[in-house]
Amino acid sequence: MTTLSSSATQTGSASTSSTDRIERSILIKASRERVWRALSSADEFGAWFGADLGGQQFQPGRRARGQMTIPGHTEKFFDVVVERVEPQNLFSFHWHPYAFDKAVDYSKETPTLVTFTLQDAPGSAVLLTVVESGFDKVPAQRRSEAFEMHGRGWTAQLDNVARYAGSN
């Protein structure tokens, strides 16, 4: 475990034996309800993730799409189809990983699945785990870069959600 801040610790790494799945976990010192709201409210998710999802709702089978708000990435979009919402336990969506080349039609590719799960942890904390799976179905010419970028990205995003949920 690497300490990220006084309110969060993060564990996990991209598997060295597989290129299909990335798993990261972080311990957040906030209530389960608070962490769940940061994940399941599109407005709040967008606030920590760096996407304008204002006015949208995460509902199974529905698409959520918004412009990225991270400086240097505002020409890109967050674009997902929600798979499951199990209050205070699990939130998942499908998306096309590292899909930022405007010349590529990503709709012909199989999307990956991103799953967030929450578990109670000692000390009134929550263990938040994110798993992104399905990289083996990403076209070979972009699989390695997508896997590497998302591996680093999930590390940063879990730090973001921990700061956000712990301070709001």
Side-chain angles (χ1 to χ4, degrees):
M1 270 190 190
T2 303
T3 300
L4 297 175
S5 69
S6 60
S7 64
T9 57
Q10 189 165 347
T11 63
S13 63
S15 172
T16 56
S17 63
S18 171
T19 57
D20 189 58
R21 162 189 179 101
I22 296 167
E23 181 172 341
R24 300 283 188 273
S25 294
I26 192 162
L27 190 62
I28 303 174
K29 294 204 184 271
S31 71
R32 190 175 186 136
E33 178 182 348
R34 177 66 201 107
V35 175
W36 176 251
R37 195 169 65 247
L39 291 174
S40 64
S41 161
D43 286 334
E44 291 198 32
F45 188 102
W48 62 263
F49 192 88
D52 181 3
L53 302 175
Q56 298 182 61
Q57 292 184 350
F58 289 144
Q59 296 178 349
R62 296 197 62 191
R63 181 180 190 195
R65 185 173 195 270
Q67 188 168 6
M68 297 299 294
T69 60
I70 301 167
H73 299 280
T74 56
E75 75 286 355
K76 300 171 184 168
F77 286 85
F78 174 87
D79 192 358
V80 304
V81 175
V82 175
E83 183 194 46
R84 291 169 50 195
V85 178
E86 296 175 12
Q88 297 195 32
N89 289 310
L90 183 143
F91 172 62
S92 65
F93 57 77
H94 292 276
W95 70 352
H96 296 284
Y98 206 60
F100 298 130
D101 184 343
K102 293 181 182 185
V104 175
D105 180 4
Y106 296 103
S107 69
K108 298 178 191 285
E109 296 181 6
T110 302
T112 57
L113 175 65
V114 175
T115 304
F116 294 92
T117 56
L118 286 77
Q119 293 179 305
D120 292 330
S124 300
V126 173
L127 180 65
L128 173 62
T129 299
V130 62
V131 174
E132 184 170 5
S133 60
F135 283 94
D136 285 351
K137 293 181 182 173
V138 173
Q141 69 272 17
R142 57 185 224 86
R143 181 181 309 134
S144 179
E145 183 177 28
F147 188 81
E148 179 183 332
M149 296 304 290
H150 279 229
R152 285 190 270 157
W154 285 122
T155 299
Q157 290 296 10
L158 285 185
D159 189 29
N160 290 344
V161 70
R163 272 195 312 271
Y164 181 84
S167 66
N168 286 311

